[in-house]
Amino acid sequence: MWPFTTTVRPFVALEDLSVEYDFIVVGGGNAGCVLARRLSEDPSKTVLLIERGDDDDSWFARTPLTTTYQFSDKKHSNIFSSVFENHIGRSVTCVTGLGLGGCTRINGCQYTCGVPAEFDAWSRDGRKGWSYAELKPFFQRSETWLGRDRREYHGHCGPLSVASYEGYYYKCFEAVEKACQLILPRIGDTHSPVDPSIGWYKMQFTIDSSGRRSSSYRAYLPMDILASRKDRLHVCTGALARKLCFSRNNDGSTCVNGVEIQGINSDDVSVTVQAKCEVILCCGALRTPQLLLLSGVGPKKHLQEMNVDVVLDSPGVGEHLQDHLIVPTGYNCPLFDSLWAMIIRPTVLVRELYNYLRYGSGWFLGTLVELEIFFLSSLIEKDGRVKSISREREDPFNAENIPDIAILPCSISEPSAEGADKWRGLFGFNPALLRVTSRGSLRLRSLDPKDAPLCKLNYLNTPEDRVAMRAGLRLSAEIARQMCNAGYPLKEISVPKSLEDADLDSFMQGRADSMYHYSSTCRMAPLDDPLPGVVNDDFRVHGTTNLRIVDASIFPAVPAAHPQALVYAVAEKCSDTIAKSHSLLG
């Protein structure tokens, strides 16, 4: 774990790019690194990966805690405000990843693959090839499970390291587990199709055996891969796509010929690189639709308003924006059960730094949420108590059992909250909305690709979302009550005044925030769907012959899970689709 070891990694400057490549991958985040690696496995094909951020792989960029967005220097975060959100009375902060690895270098490393019923529902809705059974091999292909027990539903040979830890690093989670055991089922592993879809779950993390963050960059594009493929895989950082270049085929379909690229720090220097086979967009649910709009693909009316030449009238581009909503609560707890101890006690900081440098363990692993609850709002009483749970309600293949709420206990909460005792520990119960029914939209702010888009999240726009979030707050209060009844010393800091609807609504309006899980702005669905789609079941943009999208923007709806595991699987699935389409070697 020597922290200051660095290596020189091979990258290609903008001015040194080749004139053309077989495949151009735009966006080096969660999916982009996967596609770059997989498509370059064929030695006869050339691949270009474009990323607007940097290629930093220093010790500080690998340490999970110090790279998590909330605790980082924000160097690898692109931060901007949404438009005014009417239903919570303010704008919210939007955050996306910046640099190779994208959001996987700043997220909380939580790894959950979702409920089988959700993917089977996609299949029933007509998404051919997207059932749980068809998608599961791609989850496994991406992963190497590091747990002591060899679990058959995990992968064992993939690039991505996934771990779970014996016991808990924070003692507050021992108390949470004991409380959950009294009232909730246990989910042994969210990867298992025989475990319940609802209950409490011991978190898994994308952290390698040395305790380093296993981002898509470090997992899929390590030094040996980049060095051995330097003649056919070019990675250009500090560059962004200005727009896509199109032409018409004889049959009237649209073909993307190449990508116009500029340096992130210069408006003057730009090059146009041609694509012989395909262009794949992996910029994420906020930047991918922005690039399409800048390129003339999107709702005709908006493009005309922005004086953009219309290439394809695609009404779904930028529509149906969804995100998981979270409402943090706060408690005081014993000081040494909380990450706050490391912040105010230098001796704890020294201890934990030693544990991490020497053993790759401890609080610098960033396991702030060591346990999570997935549940159904319909099973929560008005007073927060949990209704009787039948065996039928635990079936993960029943679409009625897809969890609509989650609770994320956290080993720290907001220290500046009114009434917080800063000499005690800080602990949070954070209910989140999973099956969101509210939908927002994304539009261009300007024609400058460096400008952030205009994002309207439309949080809590529907009665269903408010009902579900009330249930989440009630369940949080019930688990806290169970902990106190068992003798664990929690003191309320930031909680609703009561469990009545009005007080819960007031609290959620003041505290609601983003989980940064944006999705569905380029949905996978037919063009004539009631919620118009942008891509088909093979990731191809409707009306084009060689343009695909591979990121969270294609999800039919925001999934009831942390999205990174699904994005890895989706990227693996797309690489397989492209390989078969072009008879690639690998």
Side-chain angles (χ1 to χ4, degrees), residues 231-244:
D231 294 331
R232 65 181 187 269
L233 172 58
H234 287 178
V235 179
C236 182
T237 58
L240 75 159
R242 289 183 59 87
K243 69 175 191 176
L244 308 176

Side-chain angles (χ1 to χ4, degrees), residues 340-536:
W340 184 243
M342 194 172 80
I343 298 173
I344 68 170
R345 293 290 181 91
T347 55
V348 178
L349 173 61
V350 171
R351 179 195 73 193
E352 293 303 325
L353 188 59
Y354 175 81
N355 286 338
Y356 185 70
L357 293 175
R358 182 67 177 86
Y359 302 110
S361 65
W363 292 3
F364 275 89
L365 288 174
T367 57
L368 303 179
V369 178
E370 296 191 89
L371 178 152
E372 186 168 1
I373 296 103
F374 297 94
F375 212 62
L376 294 168
S377 60
S378 60
L379 295 179
I380 308 300
E381 301 278 11
K382 287 276 190 178
D383 64 357
R385 297 179 189 272
V386 177
K387 298 178 182 178
S388 176
I389 302 171
S390 66
R391 292 293 297 173
E392 181 184 7
R393 275 288 155 263
E394 296 183 10
D395 181 2
F397 288 91
N398 184 338
E400 294 183 1
N401 298 340
I402 301 172
D404 60 347
I405 57 173
I407 312 294
L408 290 81
C410 187
S411 56
I412 193 166
S413 63
E414 178 54 58
S416 63
E418 184 178 352
D421 182 348
K422 296 182 182 179
W423 296 107
R424 299 189 66 206
L426 298 167
F427 174 79
F429 267 121
N430 304 322
L433 193 61
L434 295 183
R435 301 203 75 189
V436 181
T437 58
S438 300
R439 294 180 181 271
S441 61
L442 178 147
R443 293 289 183 264
L444 292 176
R445 185 185 303 269
S446 75
L447 301 185
D448 186 344
K450 292 187 292 186
D451 280 352
L454 293 170
C455 296
K456 184 174 182 62
L457 281 306
N458 237 5
Y459 291 132
L460 300 174
N461 185 46
T462 65
E464 294 86 352
D465 285 358
R466 289 183 177 273
V467 168
M469 186 55 82
R470 288 175 198 145
L473 286 165
R474 287 172 173 136
L475 180 57
S476 296
E478 174 62 14
I479 298 172
R481 188 181 71 83
Q482 294 285 349
M483 291 171 68
C484 291
N485 287 348
Y488 189 77
L490 281 181
K491 177 189 174 186
E492 295 178 349
I493 302 172
S494 301
V495 298
K497 290 181 180 179
S498 76
L499 297 185
E500 296 299 320
D501 287 359
D503 287 331
L504 295 173
D505 288 349
S506 175
F507 185 81
M508 73 174 77
Q509 181 172 342
R511 302 276 293 175
D513 205 352
S514 172
M515 285 189 74
Y516 318 121
H517 293 169
Y518 316 110
S519 81
S520 309
T521 48
C522 297
R523 293 182 71 244
M524 177 172 52
L527 270 172
D528 60 357
D529 191 85
L531 301 175
V534 177
V535 301
N536 66 14

Side-chain angles (χ1 to χ4, degrees), residues 291-313:
L291 178 56
L292 288 174
L293 293 169
L294 289 169
S295 305
V297 178
K300 182 178 180 180
K301 181 180 178 181
H302 177 58
L303 295 176
Q304 291 175 335
E305 290 171 347
M306 297 300 296
N307 294 316
V308 176
D309 292 336
V310 179
V311 174
L312 277 175
D313 180 13

Side-chain angles (χ1 to χ4, degrees), residues 111-167:
Y111 189 82
T112 59
C113 71
V115 178
E118 183 150 35
F119 308 122
D120 287 348
W122 292 3
S123 180
R124 285 195 302 273
D125 287 342
R127 307 289 70 75
K128 185 177 180 181
W130 287 88
S131 70
Y132 170 75
E134 292 165 307
L135 196 55
K136 187 61 180 178
F138 298 108
F139 281 105
Q140 294 174 317
R141 183 183 180 186
S142 68
E143 177 197 10
T144 288
W145 169 246
L146 299 180
R148 292 184 179 180
D149 53 331
R150 185 177 176 86
R151 300 185 181 181
E152 61 180 302
Y153 302 111
H154 284 268
H156 299 282
C157 300
L160 183 71
S161 297
V162 178
S164 187
Y165 299 99
E166 298 294 324

